[in-house]
Amino acid sequence: MKEAGFNSKRIELSKDTMMLEDGNVRLRVDHSTALSLVKAFYDEPSSDSLKELTRPVLLLRSTEPDMMNKIRRKECERFSKYALLTVVDLHETGHDLYGEGPYDVCQEIKAGVVSGRA
């Protein structure tokens, strides 16, 4: 998974739930779990929910694996159409931002609250 942009810490944290298959990182899930995930994402009306936002939003964004950054940027662009959005990249983090960078998460939230960005 190193080839896919994961650092050693992330590989260790992910080895029970992720696998490398044909050069792509894949989530290890059984068939029924995969179907539930697809249904949840398909039925999720995020644009309806986002239209209701009235406060600034501080979004802490992971940077690993590297291969997901294009999608992250695209979704942040979409999100920014609905909200006053501040995006902070937390480098060398994956899905579990707080678990992988608790100090950085706390510092960014504090700074966001103090500045009014969150």
Side-chain angles (χ1 to χ4, degrees), residues 31-58:
H31 184 73
S32 65
T33 302
L35 287 176
S36 296
L37 288 168
V38 168
K39 184 176 188 275
F41 286 119
Y42 179 79
D43 289 339
E44 198 274 327
S46 62
S47 58
D48 292 342
S49 301
L50 293 173
K51 289 176 187 173
E52 302 296 321
L53 291 173
T54 59
R55 302 278 187 241
V57 174
L58 173 64

Short mmCIF file of all heavy atoms in Angstrom, two decimals, residues 31-58:
data_model
loop_
_atom_site.label_atom_id
_atom_site.label_comp_id
_atom_site.label_asym_id
_atom_site.label_seq_id
_atom_site.Cartn_x
_atom_site.Cartn_y
_atom_site.Cartn_z
N HIS A 31 -20.19 -8.63 1.05
CA HIS A 31 -21.15 -8.19 0.04
C HIS A 31 -22.28 -7.35 0.64
O HIS A 31 -22.63 -6.29 0.11
CB HIS A 31 -21.71 -9.41 -0.70
CG HIS A 31 -22.63 -9.07 -1.80
ND1 HIS A 31 -22.20 -8.53 -3.00
CD2 HIS A 31 -23.99 -9.15 -1.90
CE1 HIS A 31 -23.25 -8.32 -3.78
NE2 HIS A 31 -24.33 -8.68 -3.14
N SER A 32 -22.87 -7.80 1.74
CA SER A 32 -24.02 -7.06 2.30
C SER A 32 -23.59 -5.70 2.85
O SER A 32 -24.33 -4.73 2.72
CB SER A 32 -24.72 -7.89 3.38
OG SER A 32 -23.87 -8.09 4.48
N THR A 33 -22.40 -5.61 3.41
CA THR A 33 -21.90 -4.32 3.90
C THR A 33 -21.67 -3.37 2.73
O THR A 33 -22.04 -2.19 2.79
CB THR A 33 -20.59 -4.50 4.70
OG1 THR A 33 -20.83 -5.40 5.78
CG2 THR A 33 -20.06 -3.19 5.22
N ALA A 34 -21.10 -3.87 1.65
CA ALA A 34 -20.86 -3.05 0.47
C ALA A 34 -22.18 -2.52 -0.09
O ALA A 34 -22.29 -1.33 -0.43
CB ALA A 34 -20.11 -3.85 -0.60
N LEU A 35 -23.20 -3.36 -0.17
CA LEU A 35 -24.51 -2.92 -0.66
C LEU A 35 -25.11 -1.85 0.24
O LEU A 35 -25.69 -0.88 -0.24
CB LEU A 35 -25.46 -4.10 -0.79
CG LEU A 35 -25.19 -5.07 -1.94
CD1 LEU A 35 -26.15 -6.25 -1.87
CD2 LEU A 35 -25.30 -4.37 -3.28
N SER A 36 -24.95 -2.01 1.55
CA SER A 36 -25.46 -1.01 2.49
C SER A 36 -24.77 0.33 2.32
O SER A 36 -25.41 1.39 2.38
CB SER A 36 -25.27 -1.49 3.93
OG SER A 36 -26.03 -2.65 4.15
N LEU A 37 -23.46 0.30 2.09
CA LEU A 37 -22.71 1.54 1.87
C LEU A 37 -23.17 2.25 0.60
O LEU A 37 -23.38 3.46 0.59
CB LEU A 37 -21.20 1.26 1.80
CG LEU A 37 -20.53 0.89 3.10
CD1 LEU A 37 -19.13 0.36 2.85
CD2 LEU A 37 -20.48 2.08 4.03
N VAL A 38 -23.33 1.49 -0.47
CA VAL A 38 -23.78 2.08 -1.73
C VAL A 38 -25.16 2.70 -1.55
O VAL A 38 -25.41 3.83 -1.97
CB VAL A 38 -23.80 1.02 -2.86
CG1 VAL A 38 -24.52 1.53 -4.09
CG2 VAL A 38 -22.37 0.60 -3.20
N LYS A 39 -26.06 2.00 -0.90
CA LYS A 39 -27.41 2.51 -0.67
C LYS A 39 -27.38 3.78 0.18
O LYS A 39 -28.06 4.76 -0.13
CB LYS A 39 -28.28 1.45 0.01
CG LYS A 39 -29.72 1.88 0.20
CD LYS A 39 -30.54 0.74 0.79
CE LYS A 39 -32.00 1.06 0.80
NZ LYS A 39 -32.47 1.82 1.89
N ALA A 40 -26.58 3.79 1.23
CA ALA A 40 -26.50 4.96 2.10
C ALA A 40 -25.99 6.18 1.35
O ALA A 40 -26.53 7.29 1.49
CB ALA A 40 -25.59 4.67 3.29
N PHE A 41 -24.96 6.01 0.52
CA PHE A 41 -24.43 7.14 -0.23
C PHE A 41 -25.40 7.58 -1.33
O PHE A 41 -25.53 8.77 -1.60
CB PHE A 41 -23.06 6.81 -0.83
CG PHE A 41 -21.97 6.80 0.20
CD1 PHE A 41 -21.24 5.65 0.43
CD2 PHE A 41 -21.68 7.93 0.94
CE1 PHE A 41 -20.23 5.64 1.38
CE2 PHE A 41 -20.67 7.93 1.89
CZ PHE A 41 -19.95 6.78 2.10
N TYR A 42 -26.08 6.65 -1.94
CA TYR A 42 -27.01 6.98 -3.01
C TYR A 42 -28.21 7.77 -2.48
O TYR A 42 -28.64 8.74 -3.08
CB TYR A 42 -27.50 5.71 -3.71
CG TYR A 42 -28.49 5.99 -4.80
CD1 TYR A 42 -28.05 6.43 -6.06
CD2 TYR A 42 -29.86 5.83 -4.60
CE1 TYR A 42 -28.96 6.71 -7.07
CE2 TYR A 42 -30.77 6.11 -5.61
CZ TYR A 42 -30.31 6.55 -6.84
OH TYR A 42 -31.21 6.82 -7.84
N ASP A 43 -28.73 7.36 -1.32
CA ASP A 43 -29.93 7.98 -0.76
C ASP A 43 -29.64 9.25 0.03
O ASP A 43 -30.56 9.93 0.46
CB ASP A 43 -30.65 6.98 0.16
CG ASP A 43 -31.30 5.87 -0.63
OD1 ASP A 43 -31.54 6.05 -1.84
OD2 ASP A 43 -31.57 4.81 -0.04
N GLU A 44 -28.37 9.58 0.24
CA GLU A 44 -28.01 10.72 1.08
C GLU A 44 -28.19 12.02 0.31
O GLU A 44 -27.48 12.29 -0.64
CB GLU A 44 -26.55 10.56 1.54
CG GLU A 44 -26.20 11.40 2.73
CD GLU A 44 -25.77 12.81 2.33
OE1 GLU A 44 -25.15 12.97 1.27
OE2 GLU A 44 -26.08 13.73 3.07
N PRO A 45 -29.16 12.84 0.70
CA PRO A 45 -29.44 14.09 -0.03
C PRO A 45 -28.57 15.24 0.48
O PRO A 45 -29.06 16.19 1.08
CB PRO A 45 -30.92 14.33 0.26
CG PRO A 45 -31.09 13.77 1.64
CD PRO A 45 -30.14 12.59 1.73
N SER A 46 -27.26 15.16 0.27
CA SER A 46 -26.37 16.16 0.87
C SER A 46 -26.66 17.57 0.40
O SER A 46 -26.57 18.52 1.18
CB SER A 46 -24.91 15.80 0.60
OG SER A 46 -24.64 15.81 -0.78
N SER A 47 -27.02 17.75 -0.87
CA SER A 47 -27.28 19.12 -1.32
C SER A 47 -28.47 19.73 -0.59
O SER A 47 -28.47 20.92 -0.29
CB SER A 47 -27.47 19.18 -2.83
OG SER A 47 -28.53 18.35 -3.23
N ASP A 48 -29.47 18.92 -0.26
CA ASP A 48 -30.61 19.43 0.51
C ASP A 48 -30.17 19.87 1.90
O ASP A 48 -30.57 20.93 2.39
CB ASP A 48 -31.71 18.37 0.64
CG ASP A 48 -32.38 18.06 -0.68
OD1 ASP A 48 -32.27 18.87 -1.63
OD2 ASP A 48 -33.01 17.00 -0.77
N SER A 49 -29.34 19.07 2.54
CA SER A 49 -28.85 19.40 3.88
C SER A 49 -27.93 20.61 3.84
O SER A 49 -28.00 21.49 4.70
CB SER A 49 -28.07 18.22 4.48
OG SER A 49 -28.89 17.09 4.56
N LEU A 50 -27.05 20.67 2.85
CA LEU A 50 -26.09 21.77 2.75
C LEU A 50 -26.77 23.12 2.55
O LEU A 50 -26.27 24.14 3.02
CB LEU A 50 -25.09 21.50 1.63
CG LEU A 50 -24.15 20.32 1.85
CD1 LEU A 50 -23.32 20.06 0.61
CD2 LEU A 50 -23.26 20.55 3.06
N LYS A 51 -27.90 23.13 1.88
CA LYS A 51 -28.62 24.39 1.65
C LYS A 51 -29.09 25.03 2.95
O LYS A 51 -29.35 26.23 2.99
CB LYS A 51 -29.83 24.14 0.74
CG LYS A 51 -29.46 23.85 -0.69
CD LYS A 51 -30.69 23.52 -1.52
CE LYS A 51 -30.29 23.07 -2.91
NZ LYS A 51 -31.41 22.58 -3.68
N GLU A 52 -29.18 24.25 4.00
CA GLU A 52 -29.66 24.74 5.28
C GLU A 52 -28.56 25.36 6.14
O GLU A 52 -28.84 25.94 7.19
CB GLU A 52 -30.32 23.60 6.07
CG GLU A 52 -31.48 22.93 5.35
CD GLU A 52 -32.64 23.91 5.13
OE1 GLU A 52 -32.93 24.72 6.02
OE2 GLU A 52 -33.24 23.86 4.04
N LEU A 53 -27.31 25.25 5.73
CA LEU A 53 -26.21 25.79 6.53
C LEU A 53 -26.26 27.31 6.59
O LEU A 53 -26.40 27.97 5.57
CB LEU A 53 -24.85 25.35 5.96
CG LEU A 53 -24.52 23.87 6.10
CD1 LEU A 53 -23.24 23.55 5.35
CD2 LEU A 53 -24.38 23.49 7.56
N THR A 54 -26.12 27.85 7.79
CA THR A 54 -26.13 29.30 7.96
C THR A 54 -24.89 29.81 8.68
O THR A 54 -24.74 31.00 8.87
CB THR A 54 -27.37 29.74 8.76
OG1 THR A 54 -27.36 29.10 10.03
CG2 THR A 54 -28.65 29.38 8.01
N ARG A 55 -24.02 28.92 9.10
CA ARG A 55 -22.81 29.29 9.85
C ARG A 55 -21.57 28.90 9.05
O ARG A 55 -21.61 27.99 8.22
CB ARG A 55 -22.77 28.55 11.19
CG ARG A 55 -23.95 28.81 12.07
CD ARG A 55 -23.75 30.12 12.82
NE ARG A 55 -24.79 30.30 13.80
CZ ARG A 55 -25.62 31.33 13.77
NH1 ARG A 55 -25.55 32.22 12.84
NH2 ARG A 55 -26.54 31.47 14.69
N PRO A 56 -20.44 29.56 9.34
CA PRO A 56 -19.19 29.16 8.69
C PRO A 56 -18.83 27.72 9.07
O PRO A 56 -19.17 27.25 10.16
CB PRO A 56 -18.15 30.12 9.26
CG PRO A 56 -18.90 31.21 9.92
CD PRO A 56 -20.26 30.68 10.25
N VAL A 57 -18.15 27.03 8.16
CA VAL A 57 -17.79 25.64 8.39
C VAL A 57 -16.27 25.50 8.28
O VAL A 57 -15.67 25.97 7.32
CB VAL A 57 -18.46 24.71 7.33
CG1 VAL A 57 -17.97 23.29 7.47
CG2 VAL A 57 -19.97 24.79 7.46
N LEU A 58 -15.69 24.85 9.27
CA LEU A 58 -14.27 24.50 9.24
C LEU A 58 -14.18 23.03 8.91
O LEU A 58 -14.68 22.19 9.64
CB LEU A 58 -13.62 24.77 10.60
CG LEU A 58 -12.17 24.31 10.77
CD1 LEU A 58 -11.25 25.07 9.83
CD2 LEU A 58 -11.73 24.48 12.22
#
